[in-house]
Amino acid sequence: MSDQAVLHVTGRVLLGPREDQVRDEVWVVGGRVSYDRPAGARDVRTVRGWALPGLVDAHCHVGLDAHGPVPADVAEKQALTDREAGTLLIRDAGSPSDTRWIDDRADLPKIIRAGRHIARTRRYIRNYAWEIEPEDLVAYVAQEARRGDGWVKLVGDWIDRGLGDLSACWPREAAEAAIAEAHRLGARVTAHCFAEDSLRDLVEAGIDCVEHATGLTEDLIPLFAERGVAIVPTLVNIATFPALAAGGEAKFPRWSAHLRRLHERRYDTVRAAYDAGIPVYVGTDAGGSLAHGLVAGEVAELVKAGIPPLDALSATAWAAREWLGRPGLEEGAPADLVVYEEDPRADVRVLAGPRRVVLNGRIVE
Ligand SMILES: [Zn+2]
């Protein structure tokens, strides 16, 4: 399909969550969205159904597997699996691989990178992160802010083997200086946090987002809400806590029990965050131990937690794109969209089976 070919998307084009944001049709010309039928259009292909902007996976890792960085052909397969699921915009939440080459591939999802994870020495999964001490945090954050696409990823807590439990990785002052440095460089900061005890310091230090956030408690929720700190719960990943807990039981019983408690209250945590007005976004954590392409499953989990379906949908569509500073289906935007046979607003399970995926104006065959 050449760039000159025209695509006619017809049915219900969902430009936003409200009924007055639905159009009967849009056109795709030169890879971009147009609301007007192009004059003299030849070679028109029609796609019919309910169209959403390309889905967002706000916590995904391309170029990574359970053991560390992977070769380019494996990273490509990961990106293609995401594409097939309708994920056309990824916020990569940390990767030791250089995946810049993907930016030159119009057939692969767009990626917003957070550089490589920054962790405390021996306090994260092997081969993933820069492992450093607090006195070097500002320098590493600056380095990753320059390498990434507007985000930096910290590992905020992890098991402390001496303690036998999860514990915070960064002293407050180090986090504060590092986050200020990222902001000075125009980058936002997010952190992996499973437990409770790192959250207050990170939020008061100015963090923009927290991944997983299973340790959000009633006393912390107003603080997040007041500061507008977003969370990406990755419930499809939290589902693996009982298995992790079972595996670590013998050596780290306190840690295991802690994971189980966090897992048990995961839906209540997400629902309470949502109810308090904390922005919640869809992320799958694909690429560590989890498979790619699980975006529909994560939306379903958010609904199960008690988030209304339309807001859960927005957390992977309109709201997520706005949060990441990327367009939806505005006129002139790159034509990245997913078309379904039924209305995903009525039942989010529809997301599991896209009829058509259109990326940069091209139908994915
Ligand atoms: Zn992750």
Side-chain angles (χ1 to χ4, degrees), residues 172 202-208 221-230:
R172 161 75 172 262
L202 289 172
V203 172
E204 287 180 351
I207 203 153
D208 302 281
I221 283 174
L223 181 67
F224 272 66
E226 189 190 300
R227 304 277 178 117
V229 177

Side-chain angles (χ1 to χ4, degrees), residues 57-61 91-94 114 117 124 151-157 188-195 198-199 202-203 207-216 224 229-235 237-238 241 279 281-285 323-324:
D57 186 343
H59 186 139
C60 187
H61 305 273
R91 187 182 59 142
D92 190 305
H117 304 80
Y124 200 46
W151 284 89
V152 173
K153 171 74 177 291
L154 306 179
V155 177
D157 69 11
R188 289 186 271 183
V189 181
T190 191
H192 160 111
C193 299
F194 282 162
S198 66
L199 295 175
L202 289 172
V203 172
I207 203 153
D208 302 281
C209 179
V210 170
E211 310 300 309
H212 319 300
T214 35
L216 250 187
F224 272 66
V229 177
I231 64 168
V232 181
T234 70
L235 287 168
N237 180 18
I238 306 314
F241 276 16
Y281 297 106
V282 167
T284 66
D285 212 355
W323 177 56
L324 294 173

Side-chain angles (χ1 to χ4, degrees), residues 32 45 53 70 84 89 95 108 113 122 135 230 242 333 345 349-350:
R32 293 188 176 263
R45 283 188 71 177
V70 296
E84 211 159 298
L89 180 60
S95 179
L108 295 178
R113 295 171 187 76
R122 303 193 56 224
E135 61 266 29
R345 295 171 302 175
R349 286 175 300 183
V350 167

Side-chain angles (χ1 to χ4, degrees), residues 8-71:
H8 184 208
V9 182
T10 179
R12 311 297 283 159
V13 183
L14 310 176
L15 307 182
R18 298 193 316 268
E19 198 50 46
D20 67 351
Q21 294 173 300
V22 180
R23 293 181 64 92
D24 295 336
E25 60 179 6
V26 297
W27 299 82
V28 177
V29 186
R32 293 188 176 263
V33 175
S34 167
Y35 292 170
D36 298 315
R37 184 192 178 95
R42 293 175 297 123
D43 217 5
V44 177
R45 283 188 71 177
T46 299
V47 176
R48 190 179 299 276
W50 278 262
L52 281 177
L55 306 187
V56 174
D57 186 343
H59 186 139
C60 187
H61 305 273
V62 177
L64 185 69
D65 73 6
H67 308 289
V70 296

Side-chain angles (χ1 to χ4, degrees), residues 102-123:
I102 290 178
D103 295 351
D104 300 326
R105 289 274 301 270
D107 62 328
L108 295 178
K110 296 175 174 72
I111 302 186
I112 295 169
R113 295 171 187 76
R116 184 175 183 178
H117 304 80
I118 302 172
R120 193 80 183 261
T121 316
R122 303 193 56 224
R123 296 284 299 280

Side-chain angles (χ1 to χ4, degrees), residues 302-340:
L302 293 179
V303 171
K304 200 169 170 192
I307 296 186
L310 193 58
D311 285 345
L313 195 59
S314 197
T316 189
W318 314 287
R321 284 181 165 269
E322 197 183 337
W323 177 56
L324 294 173
R326 296 298 174 100
L329 296 175
E330 293 92 301
E331 272 208 287
D336 295 351
L337 54 102
V338 194
V339 182
Y340 301 94

